[in-house]
Amino acid sequence: MAAVVLTAAGLIFEAERATNPAFSTFGDAVYFAITTLTTGGFGDLVPTTEIGRLIVAGEMLAAVTFIPYEVTQLLSLIHISEPTRQEAMSYAVFC
């Protein structure tokens, strides 16, 4: 997810810095990318160029695609590492 945030921040910074004074530093762009992904979107930074808006739309689409995929992969790893009830019972000793 860090790759999505940093890539989007770099692209939005390059697209907006010449025409939008709100994006004066790369840190502003990172802040904007994070608040966009967390759906906070406070409105203090807004892209004004067409390419900037397209970049933000792409960031949102990437987020709704990658986040569920990554969570699914993480949960599948957790599930695989947990022994099933039947496997756990095979190790149990009953007296």
Side-chain angles (χ1 to χ4, degrees):
M1 216 62 258
V4 172
V5 169
L6 293 176
T7 301
L11 291 172
I12 196 74
F13 179 67
E14 285 299 317
E16 294 289 321
R17 72 179 175 158
T19 60
N20 191 343
F23 290 94
S24 58
T25 66
F26 182 69
D28 292 335
V30 171
Y31 164 78
F32 175 77
I34 291 170
T35 57
T36 300
L37 285 183
T38 60
T39 67
F42 301 119
D44 52 348
L45 298 174
V46 179
T48 56
T49 63
E50 289 294 319
I51 190 70
R53 291 179 182 147
L54 285 172
I55 292 166
V56 172
E59 178 191 15
M60 289 181 215
L61 290 173
V64 299
T65 302
F66 293 132
I67 291 173
Y69 174 76
E70 289 178 359
V71 169
T72 302
Q73 293 299 322
L74 178 64
L75 291 176
S76 70
L77 290 174
I78 292 169
H79 179 70
I80 289 172
S81 65
E82 292 289 323
T84 63
R85 179 178 168 84
Q86 189 173 18
E87 289 173 341
M89 293 298 285
S90 69
Y91 297 120
V93 176
F94 297 102
C95 299

